Amino acid sequence: MTLDILYLDDDLVVVNKPSGLLVHRTDLAKHEQDAVVQRLNEQLGKWVYPIHRLDRATSGVLVMALKEDVAGALGEQFMARTTDKVYQAIVRGYPQELGTIDYPLAKLNEEKGRSRFKIEGTEKPAVSHFKTLQRYEINIPVSRYPKMRLSLVEVKPEQGRTHQIRRHFKHVFHPLLGDTRYGCRHHNQVMRQHWSEDLRLMLHAKSLTFKHPTTQSTLSIEAPLEQDMKSLLSWLEKHPSN
């Protein structure tokens, strides 16, 4: 139950968050007893301060402060967008080689049962840059297509809007594989039949670069892929596009 610590000093800790684990308990998940904050409190024997969030199903780099003033300084960096965040995702279809998705996002209604609905008039700028790393073509029919097409992309979001990457790639018709809210049910269903019933959101926070609030040195932390995503990519590599 211990977390994989990627970096640790007297001021902050960086972990590789596993998929399926909340960052911290929320009003929408009051029944949950397990979260990154609670695990680190026990693992380190001290209180930790969450700085940013990753979706529950997303794996990868997550930084937390060990002091309140450090938390404030780190929070200012995220608010000022001076951090550099890099994600990897598996998406439906073949996006262009390089692209930018500039599409404002509204707040989502977090009321139970209505989380799919955006709140009109709350739109804020949201920009995500991406490049396609690899394309795959699997000889399995899906929906009305004779073959399935998937791509591995690297994404650099400028902001950190709620579900920004997931919503942006849905907007450009390349939803993330395994996404049960914004994704393609046909692709998800086929992959659960031919790959794994435990298919999850294929989104990984690969690296995070920021300035250490105390030493002022630049830290660039990278998190290895979880085994399920690594295994899926190994399988997909046997099916390169022509």
Side-chain angles (χ1 to χ4, degrees):
M1 297 294 287
T2 59
L3 294 170
D4 180 16
I5 295 179
L6 304 172
Y7 178 89
L8 175 65
D9 63 20
D10 292 336
D11 297 308
L12 52 89
V13 57
V14 186
V15 301
N16 188 1
K17 187 189 90 66
S19 171
L21 186 64
L22 289 169
V23 173
H24 54 77
R25 297 170 187 162
T26 67
D27 290 338
L28 296 177
K30 293 179 180 179
H31 64 286
E32 293 287 345
Q33 299 298 315
D34 194 14
V36 173
V37 169
Q38 281 67 38
R39 286 198 193 184
L40 281 176
N41 286 343
E42 297 179 6
Q43 191 169 336
L44 300 177
K46 59 179 70 176
W47 187 255
V48 297
Y49 300 83
I51 308 300
H52 62 123
R53 289 182 55 190
L54 294 177
D55 291 345
R56 181 174 191 160
T58 304
S59 57
V61 179
L62 181 73
V63 60
M64 294 197 173
L66 301 179
K67 299 175 183 176
E68 190 171 359
D69 59 334
V70 173
L74 276 173
E76 289 177 1
Q77 290 188 48
F78 278 89
M79 290 291 291
R81 302 201 296 271
T82 57
T83 61
D84 185 21
K85 298 172 285 185
V86 179
Y87 291 77
Q88 286 189 341
I90 301 174
V91 303
R92 181 186 72 180
Y94 293 166
Q96 61 197 82
E97 290 187 9
L98 292 172
T100 294
I101 305 171
D102 187 346
Y103 180 66
L105 295 174
K107 288 184 178 179
L108 296 176
N109 191 326
E110 297 293 344
E111 191 176 324
K112 187 173 182 181
R114 296 181 57 83
S115 58
R116 287 177 180 268
F117 298 93
K118 63 183 182 180
I119 302 174
E120 298 294 340
T122 63
E123 291 81 3
K124 290 185 178 181
V127 178
S128 300
H129 309 282
F130 71 89
K131 65 178 178 180
T132 299
L133 302 177
Q134 189 61 261
R135 293 187 174 113
Y136 312 99
E137 186 175 72
I138 302 96
N139 194 26
I140 299 174
V142 55
S143 186
R144 64 181 184 273
Y145 303 104
K147 295 183 180 181
M148 177 186 290
R149 290 181 171 183
L150 298 171
S151 297
L152 173 65
V153 297
E154 182 176 274
V155 191
K156 295 183 178 182
E158 288 189 10
Q159 299 82 8
R161 310 293 182 210
T162 301
H163 303 165
Q164 178 167 330
I165 294 174
R166 298 164 63 184
R167 295 164 74 184
H168 268 178
F169 276 85
K170 176 189 177 183
H171 176 68
V172 296
F173 306 106
H174 295 293
L176 273 61
L177 185 66
D179 192 335
T180 56
R181 177 176 293 186
Y182 308 103
C184 174
R185 62 183 177 86
H186 301 293
H187 279 66
N188 291 344
Q189 181 179 11
V190 169
M191 286 302 293
R192 288 193 173 96
Q193 291 173 347
H194 291 271
W195 170 249
S196 172
E197 292 182 357
D198 297 324
L199 177 73
R200 54 98 170 175
L201 174 69
M202 287 292 118
L203 180 61
H204 178 71
K206 178 184 177 183
S207 67
L208 176 64
T209 301
F210 59 95
K211 183 176 289 186
H212 193 292
T214 303
T215 66
Q216 298 302 306
S217 61
T218 298
L219 292 178
S220 186
I221 314 295
E222 186 165 332
L225 289 171
E226 276 198 302
Q227 187 58 47
D228 60 350
M229 192 168 178
K230 186 186 299 184
S231 297
L232 178 53
L233 286 172
S234 295
W235 181 74
L236 288 174
E237 287 172 1
K238 300 174 184 177
H239 306 275
S241 65
N242 297 323

